[in-house]
């Protein structure tokens, strides 16, 4: 279903700049992410994507990807610090994730956030064809719908929040709470990952702005804004094909061999972010080793921690804590050549990730709060053999859909330990049954259905 004249806006463009061994710089489509999600609706439709190219300074000239025209929005060093690291990732990110770290508020961050949102809105106003659809993504760009409506009332504007949307008690801490809510209402449809997020938004518009709301609409000025939940998903066909490939199977076998053919491999794959519950997971593992319920080398943990937002203080502190804990665990429970935790602080390509998923007996996805968590869906989809088990936090959006996972409250250390052991020791017939049910669900709710569902709600066909 290619959509004509769609304009997508997100903080990041769906490309990364790579430098080859011979020093040649080139742009490559980012693996996974939103671009894969939107690929079926963007392709051949003359779509445009507006976003930041990932480095500060003047906007680079960037190539089209898969027929999608890209428009880079520049960010200065100062804006990177105040808009991106500051308001987006030190105010909104922690606040929206249940304040698991203390949100910080500075007026200069908010000023920068407004300035950058205004720039994005101006670019969209300039490039959007008359009457076209503009789909704005995520917490970095919450002021864009209102600003863009002011500039271009002819456009049909959608907004989708990828991260959780917090309950009123938390959101109301934000000094510019009214401006943020009012601007989101510049959209015709405001979408969230879960019904809880949508309900929080409806309650807030009523409480803070005094507007009339129904179960799925807000009346504002002379317009009706639709509000709903649209849980995002993954490209199932693509991941299944990869997971079945001989290359991935061979690599999965090699990974098991390199790990010393343990009975059980547990795997965590996360951005190195304090919302992901990595510390809680390591603590649970340490106690299981101390209790003798789990033993090295029969069982090992592989933790992939992809570097993220590295200059932000909370992230630096987290890295220190995680690495100290990994060191401690290996010092205490590892042996020569057999660490208890294999810790990998780097990005992985899709093939390597798929091989890790195929090699892992227990996938541990235990965020303290997560909008969705696509790693959980990728793992399930990769297990075309119905092998493996998924331990999943109740506080990930995915828990509302992957109900046959070993669901757990990651704050409850004893419960977390028990869930890990249950998943490690479960009968293969039981885990296969759970996996089959989850696979069926994800296959029926893939990313194409998500994008179509959202766009149909925005503009009923
Ligand atoms: C989350 C956000 C995305 C963001 C991604 C990576 O998934 O919802 O909008 O792009 O994290 O974070 P980064 O700060 O590197 O863009």
């Amino acid at each position: 279903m290619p959509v004509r004249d769609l304009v997508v806006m997100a903080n990041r463009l769906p490309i990364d700049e790579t430098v080859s061994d011979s020093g040649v710089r080139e742009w490559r489509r980012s693996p996974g992410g939103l671009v894969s999600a939107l690929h079926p609706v963007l392709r051949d439709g003359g779509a445009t994507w507006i976003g930041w190219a990932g480095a500060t300074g003047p906007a680079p000239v960037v190539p089209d990807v898969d027929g999608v025209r890209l428009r880079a929005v520049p960010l200065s060093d100062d804006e990177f610090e105040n808009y991106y690291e500051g308001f987006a990732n030190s105010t909104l990110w922690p606040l929206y994730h249940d304040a698991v770290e203390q949100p910080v508020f500075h007026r200069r961050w908010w000023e920068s956030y407004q300035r950058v949102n205004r720039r994005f809105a101006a670019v969209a106003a300039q490039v959007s064809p008359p009457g076209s659809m503009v789909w704005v993504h995520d917490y970095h760009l919450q002021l864009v719908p209102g600003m863009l409506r002011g500039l271009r009332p002819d456009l049909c504007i959608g907004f989708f929040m990828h991260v959780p949307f917090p309950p009123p008690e938390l959101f109301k801490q934000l000094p510019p709470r009214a401006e943020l809510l009012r601007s989101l209402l510049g959209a015709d449809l405001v979408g969230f990952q879960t019904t809880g997020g949508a309900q929080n938004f409806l309650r807030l518009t009523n409480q803070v702005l005094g507007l009339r709301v129904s179960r799925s609409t807000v009346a504002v000025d002379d317009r009706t804004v639709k509000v709903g939940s649209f849980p995002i998903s993954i490209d199932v066909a693509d991941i299944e094909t990869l997971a079945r490939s001989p290359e991935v199977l061979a690599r999965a076998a090699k990974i098991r061999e390199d790990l010393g053919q343990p009975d059980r491999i547990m795997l965590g794959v996360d951005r190195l972010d304090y919302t992901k519950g990595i510390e809680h997971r390591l603590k649970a593992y340490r106690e299981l080793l101390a209790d003798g319920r789990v033993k090295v080398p029969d069982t090992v943990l592989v933790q992939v921690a992809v570097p993220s937002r590295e200059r932000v203080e909370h992230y630096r502190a987290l890295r220190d804590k995680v690495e100290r804990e990994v060191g401690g665990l290996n010092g205490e429970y590892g042996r020569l050549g057999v660490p208890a935790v294999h810790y990998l602080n780097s990005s992985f390509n899709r093939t390597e990730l798929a091989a890790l998923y195929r090699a892992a007996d227990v996938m541990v996805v235990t965020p303290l709060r997560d909008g969705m968590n696509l790693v959980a869906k990728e793992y399930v989809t990769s297990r075309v053999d119905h092998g493996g088990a998924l331990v999943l936090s109740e506080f990930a959006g995915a828990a509302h859909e992957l109900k046959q996972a070993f669901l757990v409250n990651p704050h409850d250390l004893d419960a977390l330990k028990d869930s890990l052991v249950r998943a490690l020791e479960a009968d293969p017939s039981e885990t296969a049954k759970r996996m089959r049910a989850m696979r069926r669900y994800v296959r029926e709710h893939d990313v194409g259905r998500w994008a179509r569902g959202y766009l149909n709600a925005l503009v009923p066909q």
Side-chain angles (χ1 to χ4, degrees):
M1 181 194 76
V3 175
R4 284 212 64 77
D5 295 338
L6 178 65
V7 177
V8 170
M9 303 178 75
N11 178 56
R12 281 186 189 276
L13 284 173
I15 46 169
D16 299 312
E17 192 173 26
T18 55
V19 184
S20 71
D21 293 343
S22 50
V24 179
R25 301 175 94 78
E26 58 174 3
W27 295 97
R28 291 243 182 91
R29 182 176 128 179
S30 315
L34 200 55
V35 71
S36 316
L38 294 176
H39 191 241
V41 286
L42 294 183
R43 160 192 77 205
D44 313 326
T48 302
W49 188 307
I50 299 169
W52 172 55
T56 55
V61 177
V62 286
D64 296 359
V65 283
D66 301 339
V68 179
R69 205 170 318 122
L70 303 187
R71 281 291 299 253
V73 178
L75 286 189
S76 66
D77 288 336
D78 175 79
E79 288 160 348
F80 179 75
E81 204 175 312
N82 293 295
Y83 147 78
Y84 171 77
E85 295 185 321
F87 197 76
N89 287 315
S90 302
T91 306
L92 296 175
W93 179 269
L95 189 78
Y96 283 15
H97 289 85
D98 283 357
V100 294
E101 286 289 357
Q102 177 74 37
V104 182
F105 187 80
H106 289 302
R107 279 164 289 191
R108 65 175 191 284
W109 292 357
W110 167 236
E111 277 154 24
S112 187
Y113 185 84
Q114 294 174 83
R115 190 166 55 245
V116 171
N117 272 248
R118 213 171 290 123
R119 185 175 308 143
F120 270 82
V123 174
Q126 195 202 341
V127 305
S128 302
S132 56
M133 267 194 252
V134 180
W135 191 1
V136 185
H137 291 264
D138 229 354
Y139 62 102
H140 314 85
L141 302 179
Q142 287 172 96
L143 296 177
V144 167
M147 291 172 167
L148 187 55
R149 181 161 299 279
L151 295 168
R152 289 285 305 272
D154 61 300
L155 299 174
C156 176
I157 304 170
F159 181 89
F160 183 75
M161 185 73 86
H162 290 253
V163 299
F165 196 71
E169 308 76 69
L170 278 175
F171 187 87
K172 282 190 201 163
Q173 291 180 12
L174 278 171
R177 59 197 185 185
E179 288 96 318
L180 288 166
L181 292 170
R182 192 158 264 294
S183 201
L184 284 172
L185 291 171
D188 297 289
L189 170 63
V190 186
F192 298 90
Q193 299 277 22
T194 62
T195 49
Q199 277 161 10
N200 289 341
F201 180 71
L202 288 165
R203 279 166 61 206
L204 274 161
T205 52
N206 176 257
Q207 290 177 17
V208 176
L209 303 178
L211 295 172
R212 208 156 32 83
V213 302
S214 78
R215 280 181 54 219
S216 56
T217 58
V218 183
V220 56
D221 306 328
D222 52 353
R223 301 184 304 119
T224 301
V225 177
K226 290 185 262 185
V227 177
S229 70
F230 302 86
I232 198 168
S233 193
I234 54 170
D235 188 337
V236 171
D238 189 45
I239 292 185
E240 279 192 353
T241 307
L242 183 65
R244 282 201 171 94
S245 68
E247 190 188 356
V248 162
L249 286 177
R251 183 68 194 127
K254 182 76 171 57
I255 288 171
R256 285 201 86 97
E257 192 186 312
D258 289 349
L259 293 173
Q261 301 290 7
D263 290 343
R264 288 270 172 269
I265 299 172
M266 293 199 284
L267 173 67
V269 174
D270 308 87
R271 269 187 315 104
L272 189 45
D273 193 297
Y274 51 81
T275 59
K276 302 293 183 184
I278 301 171
E279 288 171 278
H280 297 62
R281 192 180 306 164
L282 293 174
K283 191 149 191 227
Y285 183 47
R286 176 189 270 275
E287 288 197 9
L288 287 174
L289 290 167
D291 300 345
R293 292 170 79 187
V294 161
K295 287 195 178 58
V296 180
D298 308 349
T299 302
V300 293
L301 172 66
V302 177
Q303 176 65 54
V304 174
V306 178
S308 182
R309 307 173 192 164
E310 289 176 288
R311 300 195 324 177
V312 175
E313 190 44 44
H314 284 143
Y315 289 78
R316 275 194 228 191
L318 174 74
R319 181 165 173 187
D320 285 350
K321 282 188 273 183
V322 166
E323 295 187 351
R324 204 173 315 124
E325 182 61 21
V326 168
L329 265 162
N330 284 336
E332 219 168 310
Y333 298 101
R335 308 224 214 104
L336 266 188
V338 191
V341 189
H342 297 257
Y343 171 77
L344 305 153
N345 182 222
S346 54
S347 308
F348 279 77
N349 65 35
R350 281 160 31 86
T351 308
E352 190 70 7
L353 275 181
L356 280 166
Y357 293 149
R358 294 264 352 219
D361 301 291
V362 175
M363 183 80 211
V364 194
V365 182
T366 52
L368 307 177
R369 174 58 77 193
D370 213 328
M372 173 52 62
N373 198 295
L374 294 179
V375 164
K377 291 187 174 179
E378 284 172 9
Y379 178 66
V380 163
T381 301
S382 301
R383 295 318 299 245
V384 287
D385 57 341
H386 299 132
L390 174 65
V391 174
L392 178 62
S393 163
E394 291 166 14
F395 300 108
H400 297 280
E401 299 178 273
L402 304 180
K403 299 199 171 108
Q404 296 80 8
F406 292 86
L407 292 173
V408 67
N409 169 6
H411 297 277
D412 182 344
L413 203 58
D414 288 328
L416 181 52
K417 286 162 65 184
D418 290 344
S419 297
L420 292 173
V421 171
R422 275 176 62 212
L424 284 166
E425 294 179 353
D427 192 82
S429 65
E430 184 201 336
T431 50
K433 199 165 145 208
R434 288 173 183 255
M435 197 52 83
R436 203 170 285 124
M438 291 190 284
R439 288 179 49 71
R440 194 177 316 123
Y441 181 90
V442 179
R443 189 178 276 167
E444 284 165 9
H445 297 82
D446 80 341
V447 74
R449 176 164 164 171
W450 169 77
R452 283 192 301 276
Y454 183 91
L455 293 171
N456 272 330
L458 179 58
V459 183
Q461 301 292 311

